[in-house]
Amino acid sequence: MECKRIFILNGHPARDTLSQALAMAYAKSAKAQGHDVRMAHLSDLAFDMDYENAGYVNSKPLEPALEQVMADIEWCEHLVCLTSAPTGQI
């Protein structure tokens, strides 16, 4: 099997969730198979989620945490993105 560069993005905004457990299990398994794995948890990233006054019309530079996520997405050959659904919406 060919080893891949894998980036896992856990998009759940809270810590200690099923999404985090699934991300960790995926990473552990992928590493055991010899893949190169990077991972980010939304709950650990420091960035402005509401765009303050910039909105969608005015651009502003990305925070360092988001710059790293973008670099990891460009780096990877396989992207795993876990997201959360509002309660009762599954």
Side-chain angles (χ1 to χ4, degrees):
M1 172 179 50
E2 180 183 337
C3 292
K4 300 268 186 189
R5 294 185 309 267
I6 300 172
F7 177 56
I8 303 167
L9 176 60
N10 172 15
H12 198 291
R15 289 187 166 94
D16 301 323
T17 62
L18 176 60
S19 295
Q20 183 178 1
L22 291 171
M24 299 298 285
Y26 193 105
K28 182 179 178 182
S29 179
K31 288 177 183 178
Q33 295 295 317
H35 298 289
D36 191 1
V37 178
R38 294 181 184 176
M39 183 169 22
H41 300 280
L42 181 65
S43 61
D44 294 338
L45 302 178
F47 64 96
D48 178 18
M49 291 190 284
D50 67 2
Y51 283 97
E52 291 179 349
N53 297 322
Y56 291 100
V57 177
N58 304 313
S59 63
K60 71 174 199 171
L62 291 177
E63 291 86 346
L66 296 182
E67 288 284 350
Q68 183 60 54
V69 168
M70 294 298 292
D72 288 336
I73 290 172
E74 291 174 1
W75 164 85
C76 76
E77 298 171 304
H78 183 79
L79 174 64
V80 178
C81 185
L82 296 121
T83 60
S84 63
T87 304
Q89 298 296 314
I90 296 177

